[in-house]
Amino acid sequence: MACSDDDPVGEMTEVQTPPGGDGGGSSGEVDDDDNDPMDRNITISANGISFSATLEDNEAARAFAGLLPLTLDMSEMNGNEKYHCLDGSLPAESFRPGAIRTGDLMLYGSSCVVLFYETFSSGYSYTRLGRIDNPEGLSAALGSGDVTVRFEVQ
């Protein structure tokens, strides 16, 4: 996994639900909570192609949103993800999602931002930051090597 030489702990036997979440927000609906003024809609751009994404409603995503706009030089890892380790830490509430989906934006540990461009099974733990709303074309946009990715509020 990015930013670490650790292997996942043991064999994954059950999929965990993220703290305060439903496991991924696959419905695409955004909860408009009047107590949460954070704009959860962001744009993720690479190689001239932009994707709309929705941030999670959690402390890590709020802290990440506070860093935006942000341009990261992301490194290739395992043919399925791009990652960048931040200088500082974000609040982490990690869980083992079991399945990673194309377009997932996750935090590994407390400082490694990971953007996944392939779907696969994983025993690693992450804090969910958000998800690209329609990840079609994401793999092609990110390319096969390191890439510069821009994150900004819509």
Side-chain angles (χ1 to χ4, degrees):
M1 176 63 238
C3 303
S4 173
D5 294 327
D6 296 339
D7 287 328
V9 178
E11 229 9 74
M12 187 181 69
T13 56
E14 78 180 59
V15 174
Q16 296 177 343
T17 300
D22 67 358
S26 59
S27 69
E29 294 181 24
V30 175
D31 181 19
D32 291 327
D33 184 355
D34 291 337
N35 296 326
D36 185 1
M38 181 182 90
D39 185 354
R40 295 175 45 198
N41 298 314
I42 65 169
T43 299
I44 300 173
S45 304
N47 289 317
I49 301 172
S50 296
F51 299 88
S52 294
T54 303
L55 292 176
E56 288 293 311
D57 183 11
N58 63 32
E59 289 301 315
R62 282 187 281 280
F64 182 72
L67 299 175
L68 304 183
L70 189 62
T71 300
L72 301 177
D73 292 326
M74 301 189 82
S75 300
E76 170 63 33
M77 172 74 74
N78 298 326
N80 59 24
E81 67 188 72
K82 305 293 184 186
Y83 74 93
H84 178 91
C85 294
L86 302 170
D87 292 334
S89 295
L90 300 177
E93 290 187 42
S94 62
F95 73 104
R96 289 185 2 197
I100 300 294
R101 297 179 297 156
T102 300
D104 281 347
L105 179 64
M106 305 282 219
L107 181 67
Y108 181 73
S110 63
S111 63
C112 192
V113 175
V114 186
L115 179 59
F116 292 95
Y117 61 89
E118 295 292 333
T119 297
F120 65 98
S121 295
S122 174
Y124 288 102
S125 293
Y126 302 93
T127 299
R128 189 175 302 282
L129 294 177
R131 176 160 172 72
I132 291 179
D133 301 330
N134 179 0
E136 185 177 335
L138 179 62
S139 180
L142 294 176
S144 60
D146 298 350
V147 64
T148 300
V149 180
R150 175 106 172 137
F151 300 84
E152 55 195 332
V153 176
Q154 286 184 352

